[in-house]
Amino acid sequence: MIPAPASGHPEGVTNDEFRAAMSRLAAGVVLVTAQEPPLDAGDPQAPDAEDVGMTATAFVSVSLDPPLVLVSLRLGSRMDDLLDEQPHWGVSVLAESQRHIAGRFAMKGRLSDRLLFADIPYARGEVTGAPLVGGALATLECRTEQRVTAGDHVLVVGRVLTAHLPSAEGGPLLYFRGRYRHLG
């Protein structure tokens, strides 16, 4: 048996080495959203449904027939827990002018989601009810088809139920070398 190196990983790559290597891969930035149902829909005193959102760069197209996408979520995150319970969610492909939205929903120890959505223009998805950001380059509504645990993340494969192109203005927001960037 080969002993594990000091990195703690039998493969020999450290967390820092892996992070540095992957930071060289430019990724598009999306906002994944869903609506958390009220705790007790029959109780008029129960809090209303709440919108939940998170910034993601690990988002890809998987299949054209049927139309499938994949997003990677940290295990135990609020979005992971929510999408484990309810299968409908939305994706807004952010434009370069929407860096503030990406940063807001990526903060650690952030404010409540209700406050995060307060001044962001959005429309409700016609199928999922998820908030879809106004001015996004594209919006998708999805239904979870499969969940696969992968290390400290879960890969959520979603069937695309609707796809719209609300804005043709500007380029995509990208994430490269630990910062938000734009083409140009």
Side-chain angles (χ1 to χ4, degrees):
M1 176 182 247
I2 300 172
S7 71
H9 298 292
E11 293 79 12
V13 65
T14 67
N15 290 347
D16 289 342
E17 289 168 334
F18 181 66
R19 261 192 218 100
M22 295 312 297
S23 77
R24 298 327 195 253
L25 176 65
V29 183
V30 301
L31 184 67
V32 178
T33 57
Q35 190 174 56
E36 185 173 52
L39 294 176
D40 184 358
D43 179 2
Q45 302 292 336
D48 291 336
E50 188 166 352
D51 295 324
V52 178
M54 66 160 268
T55 302
T57 56
F59 177 79
V60 295
S61 168
V62 173
S63 169
L64 184 59
D65 186 17
L68 299 174
V69 293
L70 178 147
V71 66
S72 179
L73 307 174
R74 186 176 40 79
L75 273 172
S77 67
R78 183 163 185 207
M79 189 62 73
D80 170 36
D81 292 343
L82 177 54
L83 295 188
D84 193 32
E85 293 177 14
Q86 88 100 327
H88 293 102
W89 42 285
V91 176
S92 299
V93 178
L94 298 181
E96 60 194 358
S97 64
Q98 296 176 314
R99 177 186 304 209
H100 65 289
I101 294 172
R104 179 185 293 194
F105 284 89
M107 291 187 313
K108 290 183 184 348
R110 62 189 201 195
L111 305 168
S112 77
D113 284 279
R114 182 165 299 168
L115 294 175
L116 294 177
F117 280 101
D119 63 348
I120 294 175
Y122 66 87
R124 294 253 170 237
E126 60 199 57
V127 175
T128 65
L132 301 171
V133 176
L137 296 178
T139 60
L140 306 168
E141 291 183 272
C142 305
R143 180 185 65 236
T144 299
E145 293 280 308
Q146 188 175 5
R147 294 172 54 89
V148 178
T149 301
D152 58 1
H153 279 64
V154 62
L155 307 177
V156 179
V157 177
R159 180 178 294 249
V160 178
L161 305 172
T162 69
H164 297 288
L165 306 175
S167 177
E169 297 300 315
L173 181 61
L174 299 175
Y175 195 72
F176 180 71
R177 288 190 167 181
R179 293 181 47 209
Y180 295 116
R181 315 269 181 154
H182 60 87
L183 293 176

